[in-house]
Amino acid sequence: MPFTEINFDGIIGPSHNYAGLSLGNLASAGHAGETSYPRAAALQGLAKMRHNLALGLPQGFLLPLPRPNPVFLDAIAADGSEDPRLRAAAWSASSMWTANAATVSPAPDSADGRCHLTAANLVTMPHRAQEWPDTVRQLRVAFANPAHFAVHDAVPPSFGDEGAANHMRMCVGHGAAGLEIFVYGKPGGAFPARQHEQAGRVVARRHGLDPARTLFVEQNPEAISAGAFHNDVVAVANERVLFAHEQAFADPAGTFAAIRAALPEAEIVVVPAEAVSLADAISSYLFNAQLLTLPSGEMALVVPTEAASHPRVGVWLEGMLASNGPIRRVLPVDVRQSMANGGGPACLRLRVVADPADVDPRFMLDEAKAGRIERVIEAHWLDAIRPQDLSSVALAEQVISARATLLTELELSELV
Ligand code: SUG
């Protein structure tokens, strides 16, 4: 099979909970302390994967990481009883948002003709900074073939890196050489700027990208202050189309001109602030959508139900479909449990352009495997977690054994 885009969704782990750990992520703060429903969350995530599989698209997955994380607790010399936030960090199921797992440059973009993946260090948030060593271990199993893939450790922690959530790729077709756009924030605003410019530059050099097809673009500080803690909350790209909020970038006109100069085929769909304010975009997660090329060649936008049902955003989407733009379908999915922690459909997936035959087949989904995963989730994922439950040794044992059962079912016990 030629190069194609494969979406690797994070299976939502059995310790999914609402701890309010992410400053600047309004949903995480707004749902802090609520009861979470890990089984429902994981089933919603699986339903989204099945939805995209049924569209005829290749679908992969990545597994939840070990939680509560003994390596993290050991490193901070704590058993978790000292501080509820540290305990919650050790339990966090945040690796579900695989858009933050790594930055991916497919083979057509790199100097050595291999697909490069650099794990994101996620240093800004302690609960996320613990992810990358286990992420890199998993990526090295899934993308093990050195003829086709190079998996790099995270960039040094002085440079904050949030992975694909701040990276966009535009091209005439997935298999063609692409324009890679690294979006960074500058510190000094109300909330942390999680992606540093230098991190993107390190990744671009490591991946052997052509400077003529690489852009570094500053995120609008107003967008970060309004709650766009990652660029993928205000912009998404697929092939020749960029779908972005008018206020996504610090210099929108300069950014769009640079994109058009590097990729003359680019089509830029800008949503004006007078139709959808930054606040509406962020609360509805309109841009945290999967912009997908369907087998028919049409483009579809997989949006959270919150976007489709939002009064102003829904109207804007209807108008977009009625116009003759490049996005021809809008497909709502329910990922409410993830959304309440600030993770929409696009956060839950890592895009890798590759030949599916080159990926370890244990990470590829088909309907039969989805059924097997569903049965493990139904039988072993916890129904509900309240913040005070995170001190329970019995609950920790249940979480550990639920994940181990999934690994055994998928013949991936080496990741235990
Ligand atoms: O890093 N939320 C995640 C959401 C990540 C969304 N990803 C993308 N935009 N690609 C974060 O802020 C909340 C965890 C808590 O509060 O319990 C959290 O980590």
Side-chain angles (χ1 to χ4, degrees):
M1 194 191 253
F3 287 146
T4 180
E5 179 180 282
I6 313 164
N7 283 276
F8 288 84
D9 281 39
I11 295 178
I12 297 176
S15 65
H16 159 63
N17 70 92
Y18 297 124
L21 296 176
S22 278
L23 177 66
N25 169 344
L26 303 183
S28 154
H31 293 273
E34 287 183 7
T35 299
S36 64
Y37 297 95
R39 188 186 307 137
L43 293 174
Q44 287 170 0
L46 187 63
K48 172 169 99 70
M49 290 190 238
R50 278 176 149 154
H51 171 269
N52 290 358
L53 201 57
L55 294 171
L57 301 168
Q59 180 69 48
F61 56 83
L62 293 173
L63 293 156
L65 304 184
R67 295 291 178 269
N69 184 359
V71 177
F72 175 72
L73 289 169
D74 186 49
I76 61 169
D79 64 6
S81 59
E82 297 76 4
D83 175 344
R85 288 178 69 81
L86 284 180
R87 184 167 55 220
W91 277 73
S92 180
S94 55
S95 67
M96 70 175 81
W97 300 298
T98 52
N100 306 117
T103 305
V104 184
S105 297
D109 300 358
S110 71
D112 67 2
R114 295 189 297 165
C115 174
H116 288 253
L117 300 94
T118 292
N121 62 31
L122 296 165
V123 286
T124 306
M125 301 287 159
H127 69 289
R128 303 223 59 184
Q130 63 181 318
E131 289 175 34
W132 82 261
D134 289 314
T135 298
V136 96
R137 200 155 64 94
Q138 184 166 188
L139 294 176
R140 287 197 172 119
V141 176
F143 306 104
N145 187 335
H148 300 293
F149 299 103
V151 177
H152 306 269
D153 284 354
V155 302
S158 20
F159 312 115
D161 182 17
E162 302 275 321
N166 278 65
H167 174 255
M168 303 184 290
R169 178 173 187 262
M170 298 183 71
C171 51
V172 288
H174 290 306
L179 168 67
E180 298 207 12
I181 307 167
F182 293 82
V183 185
Y184 61 87
K186 281 196 184 149
F191 294 136
R194 296 209 214 174
Q195 181 75 33
H196 300 180
E197 178 181 357
Q198 285 309 328
R201 292 189 183 271
V202 171
V203 171
R205 285 196 296 275
R206 278 184 177 183
H207 292 190
L209 301 183
D210 177 351
R213 288 187 281 107
T214 309
L215 290 178
F216 298 92
V217 168
E218 190 193 339
Q219 207 181 345
N220 182 357
E222 272 178 59
I224 300 177
S225 297
F229 56 97
H230 288 139
N231 173 64
D232 70 2
V233 176
V234 281
V236 59
N238 175 56
E239 294 190 325
R240 63 182 199 290
V241 176
L242 169 64
F243 178 56
H245 192 270
E246 185 184 9
Q247 292 165 289
F249 307 112
D251 173 13
T255 301
F256 300 153
I259 290 173
R260 290 197 178 99
L263 187 78
E265 298 84 356
E267 280 188 62
I268 303 178
V269 180
V270 178
V271 180
E274 64 178 27
V276 175
S277 65
L278 265 181
D280 283 349
I282 289 160
S283 70
S284 69
Y285 260 37
L286 165 62
F287 296 94
N288 199 260
Q290 287 186 264
L291 184 54
L292 299 167
T293 305
L294 302 177
S296 64
E298 262 184 349
M299 271 196 211
L301 195 65
V302 175
V303 296
T305 45
E306 286 84 343
S309 63
H310 185 283
R312 289 173 295 281
V313 174
V315 166
W316 194 88
L317 284 169
E318 278 168 29
M320 178 189 78
L321 287 177
S323 75
N324 215 14
I327 303 171
R328 301 310 316 144
R329 292 173 71 185
V330 172
L331 306 171
V333 291
D334 175 2
V335 286
R336 282 176 198 282
Q337 281 290 309
S338 167
M339 283 283 285
N341 248 342
C347 299
L348 285 163
R349 60 92 176 95
L350 181 68
R351 293 183 281 188
V352 179
V353 170
D355 181 342
D358 295 334
V359 177
D360 186 317
R362 292 175 295 177
F363 293 87
M364 296 299 300
L365 192 71
D366 58 24
E367 192 39 51
K369 203 184 281 184
R372 283 163 47 208
I373 295 172
E374 182 174 27
R375 284 190 284 281
V376 173
I377 294 169
E378 293 274 16
H380 297 275
W381 260 231
L382 300 171
D383 172 41
I385 298 184
R386 299 164 306 159
Q388 61 268 37
D389 297 336
L390 301 187
S391 54
S392 158
V393 174
L395 207 72
E397 280 166 5
Q398 261 181 284
V399 164
I400 292 164
S401 116
R403 177 176 176 274
T405 306
L406 181 66
L407 295 191
T408 305
E409 178 65 36
L410 298 172
E411 294 172 21
L412 279 162
S413 296
E414 70 222 71
L415 291 173
V416 89

